[in-house]
């Protein structure tokens, strides 16, 4: 398989929108309550917008009130990479797509206590939503 982590900046600039490039390759963030998925309640799978890697199921999405899509766990822990992030005078844990190395958001330990206790706070533009197929009757 092609090594997505070592693609050139030119490749990513041609594949991503300017906002996606800023967030996913330069580790930016979108403003709260502006992303297309923070209030999405449909069933389906959230994939990496850069490479299509499956990241989060709608079954783990919850309303955190923060303005970003929030999940209590990834679809598979092997699909994300967690890195220490000490930028902006904070100590956080960055969430990265393990397949392509794109920045997705951060994970915090203030999620639902009845599940994992984690909140994966993810930028909408770093995601592509694939709705669950409707069952034909």
């Amino acid at each position: 398989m092609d090594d997505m982590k070592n693609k050139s900046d030119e490749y990513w600039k041609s594949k991503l929108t300017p906002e996606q490039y800023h967030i996913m390759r330069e580790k930016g963030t979108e403003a709260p309550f502006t992303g297309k998925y923070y209030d999405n309640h449909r069933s389906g799978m959230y994939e990496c917008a850069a490479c299509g890697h499956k990241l989060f199921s709608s079954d783990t999405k919850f309303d955190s009130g923060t303005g970003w899509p929030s999940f209590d766990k990834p679809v598979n822990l092997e699909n994300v990479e967690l890195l220490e992030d000490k930028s902006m005078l904070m100590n956080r844990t960055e969430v990265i797509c393990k397949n392509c190395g794109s920045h997705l958001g951060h994970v915090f330990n203030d999620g639902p206590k009845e599940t994992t206790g984690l909140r994966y706070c993810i930028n909408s533009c770093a995601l592509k939503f694939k709705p669950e197929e409707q069952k034909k009757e």
Side-chain angles (χ1 to χ4, degrees):
M1 184 175 169
D2 197 15
D3 185 6
M4 298 292 293
K5 288 185 178 181
N6 292 315
K7 294 285 188 187
S8 69
D9 283 341
E10 291 75 30
Y11 171 84
W12 292 117
K13 285 180 181 177
S14 71
K15 183 167 177 59
L16 304 172
T17 67
E19 180 184 29
Q20 286 175 318
Y21 182 85
H22 172 65
I23 289 169
M24 299 180 80
R25 306 312 298 179
E26 299 176 327
K27 302 182 182 202
T29 191
E30 61 196 6
F33 302 102
T34 62
K36 61 184 171 181
Y37 298 130
Y38 86 89
D39 198 30
N40 182 30
H41 300 285
R42 299 183 309 166
S43 294
M45 181 64 60
Y46 292 87
E47 300 175 347
C48 177
C51 71
H53 206 53
K54 290 182 179 174
L55 298 171
F56 300 96
S57 167
S58 61
D59 294 340
T60 65
K61 189 171 186 289
F62 67 96
D63 182 8
S64 65
T66 62
W68 287 278
S70 297
F71 306 87
D72 66 3
K73 65 180 176 184
V75 70
N76 185 331
L77 285 172
E78 294 297 315
N79 293 5
V80 296
E81 190 172 352
L82 304 178
L83 300 175
E84 185 178 35
D85 177 4
K86 291 188 175 186
S87 66
M88 302 176 74
L89 302 174
M90 292 185 263
N91 193 8
R92 304 179 289 178
T93 302
E94 180 182 12
V95 181
I96 293 180
C97 175
K98 197 164 193 175
N99 187 55
C100 70
S102 290
H103 171 79
L104 304 170
H106 291 88
V107 63
F108 302 94
N109 63 0
D110 60 0
K113 298 297 180 212
E114 60 276 2
T115 60
T116 65
L118 299 174
R119 174 174 54 95
Y120 286 80
C121 186
I122 307 298
N123 291 287
S124 284
C125 78
L127 300 171
K128 176 173 48 177
F129 179 71
K130 296 283 184 148
E132 191 174 276
E133 301 235 357
Q134 297 296 321
K135 294 179 182 175
K136 295 182 181 178
E137 297 183 34

